[in-house]
Structure formats: C-alpha cells, structure tokens
C-alpha cells in the first residue's frame, strides 16, 4: 500500500503546485492524476495570470477589481491573500523558467484583461496555462525523489477513519485496472472543475468535477454551486474557447448588423466588462434577433495589428483555422457564450482546508471563495497557484504533527464491488451510460445557463434526479481490465449527477440575480437577503441540505 | 450528413488475440474531427473502443494517432479532410479513413500507446528543467524579448508524441533521442536564463544517438500540430554546438558540415569524393593520423563505391578521386567567396517564428506559365554535360590532397 | 517549338556521382521541346548542411542562384529533390522579410545581382513538377512512343520534395506527393505501392550514424507484398 504524508489528487496547476510546495517542506508526497499530468485542463487557460507587480499598480487595486467582479460575493480575506501574494508567485514562476512575454526592456510585460482597472495580466502568447503547467511538470520530474507520480490513476473515493479524518483514497490504475488503497495523512483535492456537466462546454472531457463529488460524499460542504461562468467568446458549434486576451488586445464584438453592441450594455468598459455582463449582452442580442442565423455574434480580431496577432494570439489563429475554417486575421469569427468555469466547489478556508480534517482542496475544485459570483479573467491561474501552494504547505505542516492512521480496507472492497457489479451489469435493464451523460449535458445547458428561471431549473432538477435513479441500471460495453474507459465514464457520470443536483438546488434557492446567476424571475440583486453563500451538505436521504455562510468583508 | 467509414486498428490485450482491423460507420458533419467520429463510435456502438482524449481542441496532446498513415492529432483532423486524404491515395472516393495507434511506441490497447517507456523516457534524458547559474535575481531575469518568443516555440509543444511517432530516424534507431526531446532540449539551450548551455550541448553532441542522429527528413515538422518544427530546433542545436561552442561530436557531424561548407567555398559546387574524405579525416593531420572512426568510416564506404563502379552506376573513375571536381567558371567562384565573407561576418539568423512572414504581395498571375523571353546569359550546350565525367577534365588535380586546404588550427603541425 | 523555356540549375550530384540524373532529363527535355538555359555560374544549394552551419550563408548562396536565374528573365527549374527543399527553405526566409532580403542582396551587389521576391511570378520548380504542372501529363502521354507496358515501377520521392508541406507549395498543389505515380502511369507502366516510397533514404546521416542510415535505406526499400514481381526504383 503506497503511503504518503500528502497525497495530491489531480495534477493540473493547483495539484502540481501543491505537490511542489509540500515537497519543499520535506514531507513525502504522492501526486495522482487520471490522465498524464500535462493533459490536465489548466492547459486551456490561454490569456494569462493577474498580479499587481508593475510600478503604479497595487494589490489593493487588484483586490478591489476582484471583489467588484465577484459581484460582492467573494470573500475579501481570501481575495486579499491572493492579490498580495500574486507578485511573488509570478516571480517564482519566472525563476522556474516560464517564458513570460517581455517588454522592450526585457522585463515582464502585461496585457489588458476584462474587469481590471490596470493592464496587469502576465502571459506567454496565448498558451499561458500550458506554458506554466509544463514548467511545473519539469519541476515534478526534477524532484522525482521527493514526489512520487502516479500517472493515469483514477480516484474512486476518499477514505475516512472512525474520527471522520481523511486518511487516504481508493485508486484504480487505468493501465491494468488494479484497485489500490493509498494511505495518506492528508489528501489535497485538485481535480478541477465540472464543465462536462454542460454540453457544450469549453472544458475538456476530463472536467467532471470528481473531487467536488468525492468531498461532498465524504461530508465536506459545497459552496456557491449556482455560480457557473459562461465565457463570452466560445466557438459556435464546438464550444472551444477564444481567449479574452483577444478582446484585451482590442478585438470588437459585433452583432449581425455590424453594431458594436457593448456600447449599449457597458459604454465604459465595452468588450472588457466582466464576463457575466458580456455574456448576458451577447445572449440578449442573440435572443432579440440581432445575432447571426447560427445563434452567434461576431468577434472581430482583424482590428488587432497583424504582427501583434502573430506574437500574442497564435493559438487563436490555429483554433480559427483548424476548427472553424476562419482566418481570424482577415475576417470576424462567430462566437457565443459557453459554459466555462465553476466558481463554486468544495468550501475551504484560506489554507485550502475543508471541514473534514486532513482533506484539502485547491483550484477550481475548491471555493475559497475568491471569485464569488463571477471570476475575472486571468484570476483562475492565480487562484490555482496561490491556494495550491498554501494547501501544500499547510498539509505538509499538519503531516509533521500527526501520526499515520490506517485506512480501512472496507472502502477498497466497496469500490471493487461497485466496479465489478458495473462491469457485469446486463444490457437489458437500461440505457448506455453515454446516453445518460449526453442528456445531462443538454439539459443543464438549456435550463441552467446564462438566463435562468424557477420553472427551467426545476425541470433540470427533476431530470437530474431521474437520471440518478436510472444510473444503477445503465450499462457499459467494455468488460476488460486494461484501459477500461467505459468504467471510468460511468463513475464520472455518478460524480456529475451529484454536482448537477447541487447546482440546481442552489440556483433554485437563490431568488436574486448576482454574478453568473441571472434569474429572469428575480432580475435584481438583493443584498439585504442574499449577500451570503449557499452551502450544501448531503442529508441522510442523499439530497442536498441548504445552509448559509456569511461573505467575509 | 455524410457517412464516413473509420477503419480502426484494434488491439484488445485481454483477449490474447493479435491486432485486427475493424470498420465503423458514423454520420457526422465533415468539419467535425476524426476524434468526434471515434467518440461517436465509443458512445453509440462500442464502448470498448479506447482512445486517449480530453480537450478536443489540440491543446492537451492526448489523441496522437496515425490517420491515413500520417501521425497527427485525431481532434485536429477533420473528417472531410481525412476522407479526402484516404480517397486520394486509393484513387477511390469510398476508401475508409484509416486510424492507427502512433508508431515507434508499444501499443497498450486499441489507439492507446505506452508513451512512458518511449516518449517520456527520452524527454527525461535531456535534463528537462531550467538550471540557472547562481541565485535568482530579486525581480525577474532581464532577457531579450525575442529570446522568450524563440523558446516559446518549443514551449508550445504539448507532448503529444506525433513527431516521435513519425520519426524515421527513430524507426531505424530506437535509441535516437528524437524530435520531441531535442526540441525540449532547445527550450533550455535557447533560454538565456539557463546556465548549462555548453554542458547540455556537449552531452547531446557526445551521444551517438543525439543531435547528429537526425536524418533531416522533415517528418516531425509535418506531424507537429503546434508548429514546434522539432527538426528546426535540432538544427539550431547543431549550429550552437558546432559553431557557438566549438564542440566536436562523436558522430562526425560537425566535421561533415565543416567539410561541406568549405568545399562549396572553394569550388561552388559539391565534390562528393572530397566530402567523403574530408568528413572522416580532415586536413593533413586527419590523414596522417586518422582516428579509428575515420578509418572505419572510410573503409565502410568502399564496398558502396566498388559496387557502384561494378554495376555501372558510377561511370567515371575520376569522380572517385577527391579533388578532381571542377570549379565554377570565370569569376563566379570569387563571388561565391564574397557571399561567404558577407554571411560569415553577420551570421544573421532570421527566425520566422519571431518575425512572422510579410504579407504576400498579390502576384501578377497565378498561372504557372514561365516567363517567355530569355535575356541570354549562362547558356551552355546541353550535350556537353549529358555524359558524366567529361566536364571535369580541365580540373583534374595531380593528387587528391592538392586541392585540400589544411584547417587553420593545423597550420602549426605542418 | 520551345514553348517552355527555363533557367536550369543542374545541382551538384548530377555533375558528380549521379550523372544519369542530368543525362536522362536532358534527353527528355529535348524531346518535349523544353528549352533550358543552364546556370553554370550558380552554386550549391547547401543541401541543408550549410544551413546547419549558418542560415544566412545558405540563404545568400541560394539568393545568388535565384538572382542568376532571374537575370535570364526565366523561371527556374531544378532536377534534385534536395535542391528543391533546401532552396525552398531559403526562399521562404528571403520572401518573408524585406529588410533581411535587402541585407542578403548586399552580398550579391558586386556581381550585379539581386534577388527579387515574386518577380513577375517567378518560380523555382523541380523537373517533376514542371512535367506535371506546366507541360501536362496529357501532352506527355501523346509523346510516348514505346509504352512501358508490363514494367512495374516503385516511385521514390526523397524527403525534401515532400516535406514540410507548407513550405514547398502543397497548399496550392496538394497532389505533388502523387506525381511520380501519375507520371509512371502516363508512361504506360504500373506504379507499385510500397511502404518506403515517401520515407527517407538515410543518406544525410551516412557519415554520422552509418547504422541508422543504412537501416533507413533498407526500410525504405523493403519489399512488402506489393512487390510481387521484380521492380526497380525510379528516382
């Protein structure tokens, strides 16, 4: 049985940063990921990472923008920490070898981003997430003596001891199907967001929110689950992301009549208003018939100088060319709002600690909450790194103070039983797992998206519950042990349904409009009643139980 | 919606059976990807069909495969294009789209390969992390802005393995460090913050399977979905090792390059015999005291030469004598020398990844008709050069060495 | 009737170890009425090797050859895969940046030469491309007096004329990697499909890693089932 002081689950930016920070403290670290670490979805963060590092900028200004952008649902103590620690983190990454863009003097240069009062976004062309994550993976390879990597290991559940402490996890080695119990004094969840609950989504197929569901099942409360960001510029039909950096570089949004419609919605910030505002503006244009026939508006990047596009927006040129057949340097590209980011997640403190002792969470899986009702562009990479590091450090410190507790084999047996039942299940009783997954995605994108109302959310919730009931009868094809993706897909769907239920319950419960939650039946923000977080814990019958926690001012 | 046939190379290890082909039919829009096709098969027809995939947008690097024999990402290849490619070769529009696992790697199951034992092993071979000299500065390292763009080309690598899969040198020599790992090496060699430039280059030049084991076939350049152009990075490594760091490699690569370059400076065109000789044993010292590698190399080429003569492939014995090769007519060689002086003085390295390409000016006419009128100049009787050998007559040198200039650093030994 | 007149760069190997390359082309060109003005003052393309040493040098040398061709007022033809690839690589850089081009042209000024980007649609094409794209396979077919009949021929292209596609004109001429097969058919023979037709001959590393090199050669000509009858490779 592998034993670690700190076991990190998930190996995107938050997970890798947590592992490196914990190893720095001298404890034994394991990092597991259901895909090879460099396949993690942090790759997809294109635009950059915010920090008040330039002369004339201040962390207070960064924090103020973040609070405002969050529609005042962000916790200000956490936001302060994130913004204060950002500059040092950028310099740390630069020293590790991230190839950040330089200005003419050879110093770090910035670009403008939405919702920010200053150009404070540091970047590597439009592959910032990829560039940082590959550099962190270089460090993982460098410190392979202290950090054991378990690549392509799927976590099926967390293991608690009799005192309710998290003491390990059950894993399935994807390569051969072997199930194993991992012992850990601390577990850090860094499994990312859950965009796959919506279809389409900018999120990768792996973004099924496994950690959110596992923590919830282990009794850790979820917070802000109704806050789901729709990104203003995603590719029509395929849902791929077009970076906000494009608008940061000066690109315009146009409706079918060629109007720069943001003049009517945000005359000052225009295209660089916060994402919830821009997405609603676009959706309004589309709903009121001023969009294109394919249900889109246009992003016009041709106004950005060619040379600048070549240096700063290479990836988008490729995305346009390869996935839309459009040369973005010559013609506008059709885009629309699309599911992008989970502001909510496992509720943590500023050290990444959940309410379950020994269980931490950092990055998109977690909700500290620094993003509140709406995340600013280029704050997510920062969130993963700052709170990944803090969780790693805190977990390492805790590991030094406690003795190892043996996880019980019962959890392993349960998971093994569950999977063998799934593999052996007959094809007569239900539908394919993949069919259920598609139905979930389409339902959520239809009813729990940019504009919501009670009837729609309730419809979605009813369908989610029906799918939950159906899941134990749904079948898979692959009965093998080697690289059985079918099994993983079924487990992921179980995770996703729990989260979808939580999101519907929270969205239904919050009878106001704030940030990404826009209720057409409650179009106003209601600070008197709703300047608070909705927390969800599983009740005895498994349904989410609502409680509240205050927004830290 | 058109229907496509995907012919997939399958392998299900638990069955104990070998690999086999299976055809699936899917109806999808032509602008959707081959990966979309595979996922549709997996979701609706056969859940046991396995392919690594995640982002579907050519960012995560999971779905490296061979499609119609070409190593690429399944998510980046549109069905319509793939169908066109399949039909083109077969000259039959109904040919299926052929999907196989990547090459140069063991297959785990269906389209999943073991990248760990091949690709990642090689990546780790090049010490893939920054090794700065001394403590970091208080703020950021101040570096030329272009240098960061330059190495960002290698950072754009998503480790998908398509170049490794396509590599023809690795197919012949599995120990070749390979395109992905060498591009990764350039990411550090080209990074002004790294303090081990010389050590890295020396290491890769002294590995017989290192930078001089690349056969220059451009397969990796075409396979790479991210424009990393691994071969270009390997050539940069060679330039930096040979020229900037003055490193002589175990493969004779630098000597070959130097010999080649010098011959053209002297003669304008290539004297192949002289090249062979000079690549192995350079200058006087090289010939007086040849290394064992040089003797082996020269002896090794003898059978080929003899066979060439015997079969009539090599029709002129003088061709085999180094130095017999002709020079350019008139003052042309002087002007070639002038080109050398100018280029060696400046050594400007235009990097298109940094500069981009200027707009292509509208062409007068896309028609391929060449220009009609000749303005004379350079006309030479065709018949004169039809038979090999005769044109070299006036240039015959008394001994092979007569045309060989010693290396500058060997002057003292004379 | 010389309706095709081209500046012609024979390359180094056609005047060295591989004289048949020039010899056979010259006979064919003469028969087809393709008039060639040989660039006898032009220099080696560098074969990618000089670029390993100094890219500016490779670019300058090829700019010189291009300028010599342009001074004849004719488009240019080569007969070597490697020349095509190495020259196209340099041409791409020369065409990409006017300042760089001007800098390179400085080195040619003494000789009264200048390479001009896109001068009157100027091109540099391999004989194979000329045959298919300019002369035309239909016309060629008409010229065949003795069809090759039963002969089965395996094409071998060479890397430089195949890759990288974006640099050597595949966007405008996507079928350039099928021209040999079409040519073989036009001459009445049967093209043989085999694994190695588009692989590497291994030559560039022959002096560096003999084993890798020879193994590549073997692999690229290795006999798959398609070689049911004796066939010879057509370079």
């Amino acid at each position: 049985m592998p034993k670690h002081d700190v076991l990190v689950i998930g190996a995107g930016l938050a997970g890798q940063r947590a592992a490196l920070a914990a190893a720095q403290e001298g404890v034994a670290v394991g990092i597991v990921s259901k895909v090879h670490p460099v396949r993690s979805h942090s790759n997809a963060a294109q635009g950059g990472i915010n920090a008040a590092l330039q002369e004339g900028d201040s962390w207070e200004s960064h924090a103020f923008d973040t609070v405002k952008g969050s529609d005042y649902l962000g916790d200000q103590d956490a936001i302060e920490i994130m913004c204060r620690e950002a500059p040092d983190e950028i310099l740390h990454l630069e020293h590790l070898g991230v190839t950040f863009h330089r200005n003419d003097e050879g110093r770090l240069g910035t670009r403008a981003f939405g919702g920010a009062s200053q150009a404070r976004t540091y970047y590597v062309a439009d592959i910032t997430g990829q560039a940082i994550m590959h550099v962190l993976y270089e460090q993982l390879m460098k410190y392979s003596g202290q950090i054991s990597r378990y690549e392509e290991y799927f976590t099926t559940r967390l293991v608690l001891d009799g005192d309710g402490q998290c003491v390990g996890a059950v894993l399935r080695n994807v390569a051969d199907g072997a199930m194993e119990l991992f012992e850990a004094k601390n577990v850090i969840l860094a499994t990312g967001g859950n965009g796959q609950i919506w279809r389409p989504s900018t999120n990768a197929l792996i973004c099924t929110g496994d950690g959110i569901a596992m923590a919830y099942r282990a009794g850790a409360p979820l917070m802000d689950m109704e806050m789901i960001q729709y990104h203003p510029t995603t590719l029509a039909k395929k849902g791929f992301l077009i970076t906000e950096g494009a608008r940061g570089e000066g690109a315009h949004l146009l409706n079918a009549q060629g109007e720069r419609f943001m003049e009517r919605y945000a005359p000052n910030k225009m295209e660089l208003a916060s994402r919830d505002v821009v997405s609603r503006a676009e959706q309004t244009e589309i709903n009121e018939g001023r969009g294109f026939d394919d249900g889109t508006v246009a992003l016009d990047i041709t106004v950005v100088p060619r040379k600048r596009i070549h240096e700063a927006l290479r990836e988008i040129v490729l995305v346009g060319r390869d996935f839309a057949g459009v040369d973005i340097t010559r013609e506008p590209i059709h885009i629309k709002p699309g599911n992008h980011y989970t502001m909510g997640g496992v509720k943590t403190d500023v050290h990444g600690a959940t309410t379950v002792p020994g269980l931490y969470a950092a990055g998109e899986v977690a909700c500290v909450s620094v993003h509140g009702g709406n995340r600013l562009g280029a704050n997510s990479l920062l969130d993963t790194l700052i709170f990944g590091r803090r969780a790693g450090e805190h977990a390492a410190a805790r590991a030094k103070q406690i003795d190892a507790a043996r996880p019980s084999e019962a959890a392993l047996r349960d998971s093994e039983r569950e999977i063998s039942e799934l593999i052996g299940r007959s094809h007569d009783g239900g539908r394919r797992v993949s069919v259920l997954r598609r139905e979930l995605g389409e339902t959520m994108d239809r009813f729990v998206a940019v504009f919501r109302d009670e009837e729609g959310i309730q419809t979605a919730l009813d369908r989610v519950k029906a799918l939950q009931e159906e899941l134990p009868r749904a079948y898979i094809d692959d009965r093998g042990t080697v690289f059985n993706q079918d099994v993983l897909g079924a487990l992921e769907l179980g995770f996703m349904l729990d989260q979808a239920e939580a999101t519907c319950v929270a969205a239904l419960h919050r009878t106001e409009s704030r940030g990404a939650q826009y209720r057409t039946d409650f179009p106003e923000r209601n600070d008197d009643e709703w300047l608070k977080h909705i927390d969800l814990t599983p009740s005895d019958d498994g349904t989410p139980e609502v409680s509240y926690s205050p927004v830290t001012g | 919606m058109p229907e496509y046939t995907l012919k997939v190379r399958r392998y299900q290890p638990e069955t104990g059976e070998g690999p086999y082909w299976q055809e699936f039919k899917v109806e999808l829009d032509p602008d959707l990807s081959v990966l979309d096709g595979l996922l549709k098969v997996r979701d609706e027809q056969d859940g046991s069909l396995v392919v690594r995939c995640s982002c579907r947008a050519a960012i995560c690097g999971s779905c490296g495969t061979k499609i119609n024999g070409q190593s690429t990402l399944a998510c980046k290849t549109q069905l319509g294009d793939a169908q066109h490619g399949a039909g083109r070769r077969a000259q039959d529009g109904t040919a299926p789209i052929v999907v196989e696992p990547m090459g140069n790697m063991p297959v785990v199951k269906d389209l999943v390969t073991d990248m760990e034992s091949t690709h990642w092993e090689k990546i780790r071979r090049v010490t893939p992390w920054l090794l700065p000299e001394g403590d970091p500065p208080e703020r950021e390292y101040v570096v030329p802005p272009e240098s960061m763009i330059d190495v960002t080309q290698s950072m754009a690598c998503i480790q998908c393995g398509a170049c490794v899969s396509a590599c023809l040198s690795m197919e012949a020599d599995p120990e070749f460090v390979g395109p992905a790992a060498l591009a990764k090496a350039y990411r550090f060699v080209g990074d002004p913050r790294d303090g081990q430039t010389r050590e890295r280059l020396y290491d890769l030049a002294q590995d017989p399977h290192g930078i001089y084991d690349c056969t220059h076939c451009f397969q990796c350049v075409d396979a790479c979905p991210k424009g990393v152009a691994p071969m270009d990075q390997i050539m940069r490594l060679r330039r930096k090792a040979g020229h900037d760091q003055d490193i002589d490699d175990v493969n004779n690569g630098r000597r070959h390059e130097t010999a080649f370059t010098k011959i053209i400076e002297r003669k304008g065109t290539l004297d192949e015999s002289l090249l062979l000789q000079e690549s192995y044993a350079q200058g006087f010292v090289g010939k007086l005291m040849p290394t064992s590698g040089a003797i082996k190399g020269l002896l090794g080429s003898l059978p080929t030469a003899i066979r060439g003569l015997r079969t009539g492939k090599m029709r002129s014995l003088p061709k085999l004598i180094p130095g017999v090769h002709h020079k350019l007519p008139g003052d042309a060689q002087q002007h070639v020398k002038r080109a050398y002086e100018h280029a060696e003085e400046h050594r400007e390295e235009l990097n298109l990844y940094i500069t981009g390409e200027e707009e292509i000016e509208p062409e007068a006419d896309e028609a391929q008709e060449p220009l009609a009128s000749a303005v004379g100049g350079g006309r030479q009787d065709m018949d004169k050069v039809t038979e090999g050998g005769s044109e070299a007559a006036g240039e015959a040198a008394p001994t092979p060495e007569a045309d060989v200039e010693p290396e500058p650093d060997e002057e003292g030994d004379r | 009737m010389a309706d095709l007149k081209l500046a012609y760069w024979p390359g180094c190997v056609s005047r060295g170890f591989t004289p048949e390359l020039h010899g056979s082309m010259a006979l064919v060109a003469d028969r087809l009425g393709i008039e060639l003005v040989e660039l006898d003052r032009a220099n080696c393309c560098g074969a990618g090797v000089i670029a390993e040493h100094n890219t500016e040098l490779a670019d300058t040398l090829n700019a010189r050859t291009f300028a010599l061709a342009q001074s004849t007022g004719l488009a240019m033809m080569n007969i070597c895969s490697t020349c095509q690839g190495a020259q196209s690589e340099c041409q791409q850089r020369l065409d990409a940046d006017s300042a760089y081009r001007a800098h390179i042209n400085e080195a040619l000024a003494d000789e009264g030469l200048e390479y001009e980007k896109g001068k009157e649609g100027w091109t540099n094409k391999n004989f194979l491309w000329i045959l298919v794209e300019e002369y035309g396979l239909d016309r060629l077919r008409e010229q065949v007096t003795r069809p090759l009949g039963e002969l089965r021929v395996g094409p071998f292209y060479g890397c430089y004329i195949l890759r990288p596609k974006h640099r050597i004109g595949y966007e405008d001429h996507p079928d350039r990697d099928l021209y040999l097969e079409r040519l073989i058919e036009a001459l009445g023979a049967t093209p043989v499909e085999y694994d190695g037709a588009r692989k590497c001959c291994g030559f560039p590393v022959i002096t560096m890693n003999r084993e890798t090199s020879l193994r590549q050669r073997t692999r690229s000509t290795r006999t798959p089932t398609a070689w049911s009858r004796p066939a010879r490779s057509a370079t």
Side-chain angles (χ1 to χ4, degrees), chain B residues 149-282:
Chain B
I149 304 176
D150 177 30
V151 291
T152 293
Q153 183 174 15
S154 301
M155 276 314 298
C157 171
I158 53 175
Q159 310 294 346
C160 67
C163 60
V164 173
S165 165
C167 179
L168 293 178
S169 267
M170 208 184 287
E171 192 178 83
D173 175 13
E175 288 183 70
F176 177 37
V177 176
L182 291 173
K184 186 81 173 170
Y186 182 75
R187 175 252 174 283
F188 300 104
V189 167
D191 193 324
R193 296 170 295 184
D194 195 83
Q196 303 284 310
T197 310
R198 184 176 171 80
E199 291 77 359
R200 290 179 189 276
L201 288 167
Y202 188 83
D203 172 41
L204 292 170
Q206 299 317 323
D207 184 337
H209 313 284
I211 48 178
Y212 290 100
D213 202 15
C214 162
T215 190
H216 219 278
C217 71
F218 301 99
Q219 282 266 95
C220 58
V221 180
D222 267 3
C224 178
K226 306 305 286 188
V228 173
M231 200 193 95
D232 289 0
Q233 314 307 332
I234 298 173
M235 295 308 132
R236 288 206 174 99
L237 291 170
R238 287 187 184 178
R239 272 196 294 283
K240 285 189 184 289
H243 183 271
D244 300 359
Q245 300 286 343
D246 212 17
I247 295 169
D248 279 319
D249 56 286
V250 289
N251 293 50
N252 253 327
R254 185 196 182 195
R255 238 167 292 173
H256 175 74
E257 166 237 296
T258 308
F260 194 113
T261 307
K262 279 189 185 301
I263 290 170
I264 306 305
E265 184 175 16
R266 268 201 321 274
K267 297 200 163 190
T269 58
L270 185 65
D271 179 340
E272 291 160 293
S273 299
L274 190 58
L275 175 66
L276 203 60
Q277 175 196 298
E278 288 295 285
S279 295
Y280 285 117
Q282 224 155 32

